[in-house]
Amino acid sequence: MDYIKLPALVNYISAIFVRMNMKRTSILFIIIHLLTFPSSVWAQNKGDFPYNLESPSETYRLPAILEEVSALSYYAPNQLATLNDEQGRVYIYDFNKREIVQRIRFEGNGDFEGLELVGKNMYAIKSNGKLYKFNIDIEGVVESIDTPFTSENNIEGLGYDKNSNTLLIALKGKGDIDHVKVKGKAVYGYNLTTEKFSKTPLFVLQDKDLERVLGSNSTKFRPSGVAVHPISNEIYMIASVGSALVVFNNDGSPKNLSILKRSLFPQPEGIAFMPNGDLFISNEGEDGGTIHRFKMKQK
């Protein structure tokens, strides 16, 4: 893959977007995409991307308890499981009724950032790496799973890959675990069949790719949620800090980057799919939490 390396070209591109009154964050992520993806791939993906992220089909205003909604997972037809990042409680939100229809308490207070339902088992993870498992039909029985992560990793996302039966764990902070050194934003795996964590990341957003145009500002891209598309099996990762959505092929190679408008996505924290491919992204906000729904385009 050939990369454009001329600083003059970077400055020229920046100047164009400045004249268009675009924010610096948006400019930087557009430049990343131009520099790290072949132009032919960019043109193809732009047309093939299955969602219009500027026009939600529905927006759901969440109750006050979910002002700081930090995670999403598909739960049942017309229902999503959600988390408030300060409490060990799952809130089931029915988007037809537009209200919370069930509460599941599994732990006390804490910084909970990831949630995923696999069969009847719900998994929830704290930012410090503590992972919890409980059966949604059995109240009061919660298993704590040891992980190799610490608060320095700052876990922010939990997803599930059905093909490999693996939980995906997105790190907002350091990508290093044990004796593994990672220069970039990492996603690790927890195989539910073997009950073992991957010793190395499943994929990494390399620092060198970000630093090529961001320099010291590369730290502004921090993942906040991860999910696997139920039809294409592509991996979708959102970043609240950096305001972007990155799509990866299932081999971990990057495919598409979309800038998220702050007016729609003030603080994107959770991401989930319905089985039919509809995309949901949740946002924290001072005026209350929201969930945007995006219908999948029909080919």
Side-chain angles (χ1 to χ4, degrees), residues 169-217:
I169 302 166
L171 279 55
K172 180 178 179 181
K174 291 183 178 180
D176 304 349
I177 62 169
D178 296 331
H179 302 294
V180 177
K181 300 296 181 183
V182 177
K183 294 182 178 180
K185 301 306 176 186
V187 174
Y188 285 84
Y190 176 63
N191 188 289
L192 298 180
T193 303
T194 63
E195 297 184 341
K196 292 183 179 180
F197 290 89
S198 59
K199 295 181 179 179
T200 58
L202 300 181
F203 58 94
V204 178
L205 270 175
Q206 296 287 348
D207 283 344
K208 64 182 181 181
D209 292 335
L210 298 175
E211 290 173 357
R212 181 173 290 108
V213 291
L214 290 180
S216 61
N217 289 325

Side-chain angles (χ1 to χ4, degrees), residues 29 49 53 69-72 113 156-158 170-172 185 187 203 205 220-227 235-248 258 260 265 267-273 279-284 294:
F29 275 99
F49 190 70
L53 296 177
V69 56
S70 61
L72 290 179
E113 296 290 349
E156 277 277 334
L158 191 65
L171 279 55
K172 180 178 179 181
K185 301 306 176 186
V187 174
F203 58 94
L205 270 175
K220 288 188 176 181
F221 184 91
R222 295 185 178 183
S224 57
V226 63
I235 301 158
Y236 281 55
M237 187 192 319
I238 55 170
S240 178
V241 181
S243 195
L245 185 151
V246 182
V247 180
F248 298 86
S258 300
L260 301 178
F265 304 94
Q267 190 174 336
E269 294 283 347
I271 182 169
F273 293 95
L279 168 64
F280 294 82
I281 297 178
S282 64
N283 296 270
E284 296 184 10
F294 300 91

